[in-house]
Amino acid sequence: MSETDGTEGKPTTIYLDHGATSWPKPPGVSDAVASALIRHGGNPDRGTYQMAVETARAVRSARGGIASLLGVSSAKDLVFQPGCTQAMNLVLAGLLSAGDRVVVGFSEHNAVARPLHRLAQRGVEVVAVSATPSGIVDVDEMEREVRRAPTRAVICQHTSNLSGAIQPVADLTDIAHENDAIMIVDGAQAGGHIPVDLSALGVDAWGCSGHKGLLGPQGIGVLYLREGCEPDELVVGGTGAGMSEEPLQPKVRPERYEAGTMNTPGILGLGAAAHWLAEHGSAQRGLEEALTRRLHEGILGIDGFTVLGPKPGEPRVPIISAVHESEDTGRIAFLLDRQYGIACRAGLHCAPWAHRAFGTLKSGALRFGIGYGNTSEDIDCTLDALRRIVGGLE
Ligand code: PLP
């Protein structure tokens, strides 16, 4: 069995990589994806024949359901994007220009860190603030930095894809607005895993993957833009509204930010997932919380492990990242997969800034993401396997 050969070993029976992408999907999602290929043909908001009109109606209904799940009162303010990466690129490139100053959380994912790095090369000043030991952005430092000089935007992830910490987004939004800055949030790991009410939160822009906690298919995500927050478009082209002789992108939402043929299978799948979450989300979150705590306490009970971020019982999303004092986390992940059929992820998780803050840039961490479909047996099997691996019994 080789560490580079992905085909050998025990097949995956326990899936604990929900932080990367959720699997399996709840009832209704794959049927909705298939319905886009079987029943909902035509191009939504393009043709006027019955099938295209019906498909446009299905897309509208999906948008409405997702908006209502996320507390967005006007569904046109929620635009479909291929994912959170694209949503963050749109917002950052569309709102910031040379001479702007932004203050950003210490633990941003590369979906934010890399576009910001590119903007910094083009003259945007990027100031990063540090964190408490639990991996929570230091609110006082954020406030000091925002007050220090005119600031165009405060940027922070809603929850961490490394430590699972939930960031104080409401406080940061107040700080931003009191200082005439806009608040931009990467919500990739928040949607579905914690209740999100974007109107109440008051943020200006919030992006989210559809395929993680929102339980939809890959290739679809959403971007909420508060009315009045008007980034330049990242992509311009054909839309279902606002046709004119001049080749100008229409300014109406959502079409302005949705040029090109829509991902109807992804949208309908995400709509079905939102429908499921509206009914079962609260019970699912309760289960995730209990399983996360079970795993967290179990890992802390195994010699040599530490867990990054909040302590057991403190608020977090269902992500547990652990390091071991002597065992390589890449080797542990490999053995979990090949010997036990347990899927989790080692490495830097596209979050080198966060690893630097935790001092784990060299070692990386072993990340377990809990979600739909997991059971307490999954957690207990994983803990048994970890005990055997670090005890040399694998
Ligand atoms: N932001 C965070 C915090 C993430 O964890 C991820 C995905 O891992 C992303 C952004 C990128 O999301 P997407 O896969 O939807 O582009």
Side-chain angles (χ1 to χ4, degrees), residues 19-20 82-86 88 107-112 157 159-161 186-189 208-212 220-221 345 349-350 367:
C84 190
T85 302
Q86 181 119 351
M88 290 294 104
S107 65
E108 298 310 306
H109 185 276
N110 278 339
V112 167
Q157 57 187 195
T159 62
S160 166
N161 68 311
D186 169 354
Q189 298 284 349
C208 191
S209 317
H211 64 100
K212 298 181 190 279
I220 190 70
R345 189 165 156 205
H349 317 97
C350 301
R367 186 183 75 178

Side-chain angles (χ1 to χ4, degrees), residues 70 78-79 81 83-88 91 156-158 183-191 198 203-210 214 221-225:
L70 298 172
L78 194 77
V79 300
Q81 296 289 301
C84 190
T85 302
Q86 181 119 351
M88 290 294 104
V91 165
C156 189
Q157 57 187 195
H158 202 147
M183 184 72 207
I184 299 173
V185 180
D186 169 354
Q189 298 284 349
L198 291 171
V203 297
D204 297 281
W206 186 92
C208 191
S209 317
L214 288 181
V222 290
L223 171 63
Y224 163 71
L225 291 170

Side-chain angles (χ1 to χ4, degrees), residues 144-205:
R144 269 195 309 279
E145 274 306 335
V146 174
R147 284 181 190 280
R148 196 186 303 282
T151 299
R152 170 91 171 110
V154 172
I155 304 165
C156 189
Q157 57 187 195
H158 202 147
T159 62
S160 166
N161 68 311
L162 176 63
S163 68
I166 300 173
Q167 303 298 347
V169 172
D171 293 345
L172 300 181
T173 303
D174 287 345
I175 292 170
H177 290 171
E178 280 159 18
N179 292 280
D180 295 327
I182 48 180
M183 184 72 207
I184 299 173
V185 180
D186 169 354
Q189 298 284 349
H193 290 310
I194 55 172
V196 173
D197 183 341
L198 291 171
S199 301
L201 213 47
V203 297
D204 297 281

